[in-house]
Amino acid sequence: MNDVLPDASPAWLYFEQVTRDWLAAYGYKNIRMPIVESTHLFVRGVGEHTDIVEKEMYSFEDKLNGEKLTLRPEGTAGCVRACVEHGLLYNQTQRLWYMGPMYRHERPQKGRYRQFHQIGVEAFGMATPDVDAEVILMLADLWARFGLKNVSLEINSLGDKEERAAHREALIAYLEEFTDILDEDGKRRLYTNPLRVLDTKNPALQEMAENAPKLIDFLGDDSRQHFEGVKALLDAAGIAYKVNARLVRGLDYYNRTVFEWVTTDLGSQGTIAAGGRYDTLVEMLGGKPCPAVGFGMGVERILLLLEEQAVPVSVVAPDAYIVHLGDAAGRLAFVTAQQLRASGLNVLLHCGGGSFKSQFKKADASQARFAVVIGEAEAEANTANIKTLNGEGAGEQRTVALAELALIISSEGK
Ligand code: ATP
Ligand code: MG
């Protein structure tokens, strides 16, 4: 679990600013859920035999009433719980987003942490392929807004329940022929979650996984048409994709469309956003049946990628740093700083005393565009001395009337 220190936080703030504008552009509304939920919610929602529930959750008992609680490992289950609890899904559609920390007990490494952040997007009440394609397109748009390169899209269809059941039967029969080479995980999952056996990273099992019966060959007409619909819209929008028949996702709630945006620039933690359709989850968690589609995006991984690809992150430097000497000048500086802020400027007022020299060192370190100097003479004349510290005209110095200060800094500060 990481601290985000002041040197790193500008990248976070930039990320949040860009993503908020982006989410607004698609009409998504923000929802905020608690970080702690009932353990049962994730067991039901994410699935008993998933990696997350089997080994990654931080769970504990409430000391007072013995209730089993878990730090959320993902956001979809909690979002659905909140929507059901507050009746947000009756005869209406919802486009919702959230951002916040998620917790998974994993082996920490680059791009994989025990506390990480996701932006989650969930669209409820729409069963047609247009919304699947739209959430995928949104992400393509986000990469473009950030100027990210080397990201590619993989999609698949998991079909519906009956289709998955037929495939499951064929898959188990196929996998039973390989019990002698299956690893521990594989053996354990053969009957509980055979699809996950194919998701193995074990090189010895690749060929077996490669030749296994493919879910896509078991799709019925409706699922097939839905998948074709998604692909047609992606084609129309000029979004390149690869159909990966082995893409299954690690969470149980998906059906039909699943997708991952991956990059080759982050080693093995290459999935930066992943999601799909989950038409049965709302009902499973106690709501009326309600189709849904969504994705989770790993904030840390995208920040690593921005850094890796040297994407410039805009840092908000102060417009002015005010240095001052003497009691009268100090009072005037205090009031002037507030007037400048009221005009929309970002102003650092020097606090803590010290010589002009030491104050100027701090002004330089602040990266401010201007230093505003108020000494005894300036205080008496109601003026200030402006020194340009950074950008156009750096090094220039002049004295101006206090009344004009805000206007000069705003008009020349750009
Ligand atoms: P992975 O295969 O990398 O473990 P996942 O399938 O478990 O990913 P999801 O549950 O789909 O991941 O979460 C969505 C996104 O959240 C991932 O694509 C990734 O970007 C990010 N993510 C998941 N787990 C972590 C983690 N431990 N640390 C950082 N980011 C993570
Ligand atoms: Mg995982």
Side-chain angles (χ1 to χ4, degrees), residues 16-162:
E16 286 165 12
Q17 184 199 325
V18 172
T19 50
R20 276 177 198 201
D21 291 348
W22 162 71
L23 289 157
Y26 291 82
Y28 277 79
K29 291 185 184 158
N30 185 228
I31 179 167
R32 301 178 186 218
M33 298 84 64
I35 286 167
V36 178
E37 298 271 2
S38 153
T39 303
H40 192 54
L41 174 70
F42 301 113
V43 176
R44 266 197 308 173
V46 176
E48 207 177 335
H49 301 291
T50 57
D51 273 358
I52 292 180
V53 171
E54 275 182 353
K55 44 190 185 194
E56 295 174 358
M57 296 204 302
Y58 284 93
S59 299
F60 58 98
E61 265 181 27
D62 186 313
K63 273 193 189 129
L64 292 179
N65 60 12
E67 197 183 343
K68 290 195 170 61
L69 300 172
T70 294
L71 299 185
R72 64 181 183 196
E74 58 96 58
T76 303
C79 185
V80 169
R81 190 230 8 100
C83 287
V84 170
E85 192 173 320
H86 300 285
L88 302 188
L89 304 179
Y90 292 117
N91 299 322
Q92 54 189 320
T93 61
Q94 294 281 357
R95 284 174 156 94
L96 303 175
W97 74 273
Y98 47 83
M99 172 171 160
M102 306 293 162
Y103 300 84
R104 295 185 192 179
H105 200 282
E106 308 205 62
R107 194 170 67 79
Q109 51 202 293
K110 187 180 170 193
R112 190 177 294 286
Y113 313 102
R114 290 180 174 177
Q115 174 183 275
F116 64 99
H117 295 73
Q118 277 187 354
I119 284 195
V121 158
E122 320 288 355
F124 295 102
M126 294 162 273
T128 43
D130 43 7
V131 65
D132 309 41
E134 193 186 74
V135 297
I136 294 172
L137 164 92
M138 271 176 85
L139 286 162
D141 178 12
L142 183 63
W143 316 143
R145 287 176 189 231
F146 280 129
L148 286 175
K149 301 181 300 270
N150 302 339
V151 283
S152 59
L153 171 66
E154 297 191 354
I155 60 174
N156 191 20
S157 174
L158 300 184
D160 288 329
K161 210 169 158 202
E162 298 73 34

Side-chain angles (χ1 to χ4, degrees), residues 52 56 73-74 104 106 111-118 201 249-251 254 260-261 268-275 296-301:
I52 292 180
E56 295 174 358
E74 58 96 58
R104 295 185 192 179
E106 308 205 62
R112 190 177 294 286
Y113 313 102
R114 290 180 174 177
Q115 174 183 275
F116 64 99
H117 295 73
Q118 277 187 354
K201 295 198 168 83
R249 311 283 309 112
L251 297 79
Y254 290 111
E260 289 193 1
W261 280 97
S268 51
Q269 270 57 254
T271 306
I272 53 175
M297 167 163 93
V299 178
E300 283 84 353
R301 289 190 192 174

Side-chain angles (χ1 to χ4, degrees), residues 274-318:
R277 185 165 272 287
Y278 52 95
D279 292 332
T280 53
L281 184 65
V282 175
E283 193 180 6
M284 246 164 67
L285 295 181
K288 289 227 177 86
C290 177
V293 57
F295 60 78
M297 167 163 93
V299 178
E300 283 84 353
R301 289 190 192 174
I302 293 163
L303 291 176
L304 278 171
L305 196 56
L306 289 170
E307 196 182 313
E308 185 76 31
Q309 298 185 1
V311 173
V313 167
S314 67
V315 178
V316 184

